[in-house]
Amino acid sequence: MKLPHPLTLLVACVVVAAAFTHVLPAGQFDRRDDPEAGRKVVVAGTYHRVDPHPMGAFETVVAIPDGIIDAAAVITFVFLVGGAFGVVDKTGALRDGIEWLVRRLGDRGIVAVPIVCLAFAAAGAFENMQEEIIAMIPALLLLTQRLGFDSVTAAEMSVGAAAVGSAFSPVNPFQVLIAQKVAGIPQLSGGVYRIVFLAIALLLWTLGTMRHARHTRVAVVRTEFSSEAHEFGTRGKTVLSIVLLSFAVFVYGVASLHWDFNQEAALFFVMGCVVGVVGGLGVTGTAEAFVDGFRSMAYAALLIGFARSISAVMEQGLIIDTVVNGLATSLAGLPVPVAALGMMLAHAVIHVPVPSVSGQAVLTMPVFAPAADLLHMSRQVAVLAYQYGAGMCELVTPTNGALMAILAAAGVRFDDWIRTAWVLIALVTLAGAGGVVLAVGIGLR
């Protein structure tokens, strides 16, 4: 069976979310400013009913442009990154460089899979990379095509490995560190334990990706140069050096200067302009290449906005806090290991309407951390359950606009992704569940 078109699927999710506003009671937690977390967090034990606000038909439709507007910063980033790499592609340097790399690898092309997986997992672990992956999809597709791998392999090596790195990371500032801060436990605590399970999860994911790559590999006819490639000369090397330098500046800006999407988008816009001049496209050629890049990213950018509309409907309908409170309350009275796994499942469920891991942390941890105390469960375990539950849900929920956009950019249908990757996602999730149960058993603090 095939799932509907991604836009159809997302609009259906918006309609379902609106229907829930007519069924679930409206409620809210009180919130307070938390200077350490840098945002508002809920106050545990303050859930209360409020006047219902069921979403009408027209309000539901209006929520779609609301979601697109809410995601404006991300959408702008996607357009400018797409435009910049449209310029890079127009110079031919990327294709020539990848052709050179493929010739060097020869029959050892499979070694590219663990190298790329490790790179994206590191980016996920250190800075929760998601939307930024869209910038690298064109290069990855060229590489996988020339090595004989399919586009699902490109997705598994990039968004899949990055999600595993993010979910199991001991240092992800947008996930584990903010969750530990909100839960009131020392940041970086339990780091060694998390590193062990990060290694296990990443090994499983990499081996699974290599297995898929081998089984789907097709023979590639190699010539001295491909029909579209030329000698990888000085101009091409200069262009790719500018691209690599831009990524180095990008990493520094995110890690040290705390850049947001606006600064990142500006960096890639400048990169595209410089590459166009250095690559010999001229002013007009550079502008035309930017337009081609914008056009190629329009669909992916809109998917992000449509996905954001789902949570916009539930926020306006005042039912997100109701869902969180209901899931937390349902864990009471369960044995501790079962409650820990239930907490992990609850975080996966919550992540569907709340696809932001940092937003979910400040929404749920003030509720689940005290619940862990009542269940005689370590708060460290509560954070692990949040990490693994929400983090792995990133790879299966259509409300994750970044995932949908990356798959669209790679030319992978969402149902093809689920059908191909679900076993691997399940294995890594089971590893996370094992980590949660073991943490309960050893009393991880």
Side-chain angles (χ1 to χ4, degrees):
M1 293 181 62
K2 285 187 176 294
L3 290 174
H5 187 281
L7 274 181
T8 305
L9 182 62
L10 290 175
V11 172
C13 288
V14 171
V15 173
V16 170
F20 277 134
T21 66
H22 292 264
V23 177
L24 297 178
Q28 285 184 320
F29 290 102
D30 293 337
R31 285 167 168 78
R32 61 178 177 82
D33 290 319
D34 189 328
E36 291 188 357
R39 60 187 74 194
K40 288 183 177 294
V41 300
V42 304
V43 179
T46 61
Y47 175 80
H48 56 279
R49 296 286 182 88
V50 296
D51 292 335
H53 183 221
M55 298 291 287
F58 188 64
E59 282 183 302
T60 302
V61 176
V62 170
I64 294 176
D66 285 345
I68 295 172
I69 292 169
D70 287 346
V74 182
I75 292 173
T76 302
F77 171 80
V78 170
F79 271 123
L80 289 179
V81 166
F85 274 86
V87 176
V88 175
D89 182 62
K90 195 74 171 180
T91 66
L94 190 60
R95 296 176 181 273
D96 297 341
I98 288 176
E99 184 71 22
W100 174 85
L101 176 61
V102 169
R103 292 199 308 273
R104 285 298 186 96
L105 288 174
D107 295 329
R108 305 186 308 275
I110 195 68
V111 303
V113 174
I115 294 172
V116 175
C117 281
L118 181 61
F120 278 97
F126 283 106
E127 66 99 5
N128 201 59
M129 175 178 278
Q130 272 207 349
E131 287 85 355
E132 298 86 347
I133 295 172
I134 298 171
M136 303 163 196
I137 289 298
L140 278 174
L141 287 177
L142 283 172
L143 177 62
T144 53
Q145 288 167 4
R146 290 298 296 126
L147 291 174
F149 305 141
D150 64 359
S151 53
V152 173
T153 302
E156 289 183 346
M157 289 192 301
S158 56
V159 65
V164 172
S166 299
F168 288 81
S169 172
V171 295
N172 185 345
F174 301 100
Q175 193 172 23
V176 60
L177 295 189
I178 194 171
Q180 287 179 324
K181 186 183 295 184
V182 175
I185 59 179
Q187 290 186 304
L188 302 179
S189 57
V192 174
Y193 188 85
R194 285 182 171 83
I195 289 173
V196 170
F197 276 88
L198 171 61
I200 294 171
L202 183 57
L203 179 63
L204 287 172
W205 188 267
T206 302
L207 291 176
T209 302
M210 292 176 70
R211 180 178 182 275
H212 173 80
R214 283 196 184 97
H215 285 189
T216 59
R217 192 173 192 179
V218 297
V220 178
V221 177
R222 294 184 175 86
T223 59
E224 183 63 23
F225 296 100
S226 71
S227 58
E228 298 180 2
H230 307 85
E231 183 180 357
F232 189 38
T234 302
R235 175 172 284 179
K237 292 175 182 176
T238 303
V239 167
L240 292 191
S241 296
I242 294 170
V243 174
L244 292 175
L245 176 62
S246 299
F247 275 106
V249 174
F250 165 78
V251 171
Y252 174 76
V254 171
S256 300
L257 304 179
H258 307 293
W259 279 2
D260 206 342
F261 286 114
N262 290 353
Q263 292 81 8
E264 296 165 12
L267 169 67
F268 283 107
F269 176 71
V270 172
M271 181 197 81
C273 293
V274 174
V275 162
V277 174
V278 172
L281 299 181
V283 175
T284 301
T286 300
E288 290 174 347
F290 261 109
V291 172
D292 289 341
F294 296 155
R295 187 180 296 115
S296 68
M297 286 296 173
Y299 172 49
L302 282 175
L303 285 179
I304 294 173
F306 272 76
R308 179 66 184 86
S309 304
I310 299 166
S311 56
V313 167
M314 297 187 73
E315 288 169 4
Q316 294 172 24
L318 304 176
I319 62 171
I320 282 186
D321 288 6
T322 298
V323 172
V324 172
N325 183 68
L327 290 172
T329 304
S330 66
L331 299 175
L334 295 175
V336 177
V338 177
L341 291 176
M343 194 174 288
M344 182 175 166
L345 177 61
H347 279 294
V349 172
I350 293 169
H351 196 66
V352 175
V354 188
S356 165
V357 287
S358 58
Q360 182 169 340
V362 298
L363 171 64
T364 61
M365 292 316 300
V367 177
F368 281 92
D373 296 339
L374 295 175
L375 293 166
H376 305 290
M377 179 196 304
S378 165
R379 291 191 173 198
Q380 194 73 258
V381 174
V383 174
L384 282 176
Y386 151 73
Q387 279 187 266
Y388 301 160
M392 293 311 298
C393 184
E394 294 263 79
L395 290 176
V396 296
T397 174
T399 60
N400 180 1
L403 171 67
M404 300 296 282
I406 292 165
L407 294 179
V412 178
R413 285 179 56 94
F414 181 64
D415 53 343
D416 290 338
W417 166 254
I418 296 298
R419 184 169 56 252
T420 303
W422 78 267
V423 173
L424 189 51
I425 295 170
L427 282 175
V428 177
T429 304
L430 285 175
V436 169
V437 173
L438 180 61
V440 171
I442 66 176
L444 181 68
R445 296 290 174 181

